[in-house]
Amino acid sequence: MLKIHLEEASKRFQYEWIFKNLSLELSQGDSLAITGSNGSGKSTLLKCLSGVIPITSGKIDYLVSGKSISETDWFSFLTISAPYMEMPEEFTLEELLNFHFKFKKPLDRISSKEIIEQLYLTQHISKPVGQFSSGMKQRLKLGLALFSDVPLIFLDEPTSNLDRKGIEWYQELINQYGKNRILVICSNEPREYEFCRQKIVLEEFK
């Protein structure tokens, strides 16, 4: 059972505080929406929570069965889907899935074939990812995050580049595969986080 504990966590770039004195606790089954105006620092907070960048002061702990996990090992407990996340575009869809699942276990032993069907990408199995449309890439990023057997999922603007059907698909995917995990959603769109049990507005922590 994974828990994330923040104690007065703060991040500053030069003289500007992105967030300050943020304390919260998340356990498996919890969901958190991080909201705020564009440029308020939602993605920066996500990167701090995932260990990509360090906080300026305070504390972030990952705890498994009450024992603290080294920050260098956080990556093994999480996945991220974000607009700024790059994928190796020379890989075909099949090659990318095989590559990804060398580092993560597939959720419930789901096969690559089943994942591709769930992503509605069966016709594109041998196509290089660089030739995918923006919506196809977004579905792939979400699939890699949600079909990995990890207790923690970070989603930044998860329905960007998705049409109406894609948004409904995302909501169904969350409903089916988001249970018993920690979900952290960075968004200004209620349709992306309306299921979240907790919500913070970043401007309140400046």
Side-chain angles (χ1 to χ4, degrees):
M1 177 71 75
L2 176 67
K3 286 188 177 182
I4 304 175
H5 179 74
L6 277 72
E7 187 176 337
E8 296 189 351
S10 304
K11 180 64 181 178
R12 183 178 66 195
F13 283 133
Q14 295 182 333
Y15 299 108
E16 180 188 0
W17 287 100
I18 308 303
F19 56 90
K20 198 173 183 182
N21 298 328
L22 174 58
S23 297
L24 61 87
E25 185 166 289
L26 298 168
S27 301
Q28 279 179 243
D30 288 344
S31 47
L32 171 70
I34 301 171
T35 68
S37 58
N38 291 338
S40 61
K42 297 185 297 294
S43 297
T44 298
L45 175 53
L46 184 151
K47 290 175 183 177
C48 290
L49 287 170
S50 61
V52 173
I53 57 176
I55 55 176
T56 304
S57 62
K59 196 174 183 182
I60 301 177
D61 270 331
Y62 278 39
L63 303 161
V64 175
S65 301
K67 293 183 179 179
S68 184
I69 303 300
S70 169
E71 192 171 338
T72 57
D73 293 327
W74 289 3
F75 73 93
S76 62
F77 294 89
L78 62 87
T79 53
I80 300 174
S81 171
Y84 44 81
M85 189 181 80
E86 299 289 338
M87 294 186 291
E89 299 204 331
E90 69 277 11
F91 282 15
T92 66
L93 172 58
E94 187 174 33
E95 288 170 341
L96 180 56
L97 287 174
N98 290 338
F99 178 73
H100 176 80
F101 288 111
K102 286 180 180 177
F103 302 95
K104 303 287 185 188
K105 288 195 302 182
L107 185 69
D108 296 331
R109 298 182 179 178
I110 189 170
S111 68
S112 292
K113 181 176 182 291
E114 290 173 294
I115 292 172
I116 290 168
E117 289 172 355
Q118 291 262 27
L119 301 179
Y120 297 101
L121 294 173
T122 304
Q123 304 302 316
H124 307 282
I125 188 169
S126 299
K127 182 183 287 187
V129 172
Q131 294 179 18
F132 282 18
S133 69
S134 57
M136 290 161 65
K137 288 179 181 176
Q138 184 62 18
R139 293 205 306 275
L140 178 54
K141 287 180 182 181
L142 290 168
L144 291 173
L146 283 159
F147 290 122
S148 297
D149 190 5
V150 293
L152 172 59
I153 298 171
F154 292 105
L155 303 178
D156 198 346
E157 298 181 7
T159 66
S160 59
N161 300 313
L162 295 184
D163 58 16
R164 183 181 57 80
K165 284 184 69 176
I167 293 166
E168 291 173 358
W169 168 85
Y170 156 77
Q171 293 168 337
E172 289 171 8
L173 208 66
I174 289 289
N175 186 52
Q176 190 169 356
Y177 297 104
K179 296 180 177 68
N180 301 318
R181 305 162 99 171
I182 299 173
L183 297 174
V184 179
I185 318 290
C186 291
S187 175
N188 286 325
E189 296 284 350
R191 68 190 183 199
E192 297 182 334
Y193 64 79
E194 58 192 359
F195 55 85
C196 288
R197 297 177 183 176
Q198 299 183 53
K199 176 184 170 183
I200 61 173
V201 180
L202 214 53
E203 281 88 352
E204 296 176 0
F205 294 92
K206 297 291 185 182

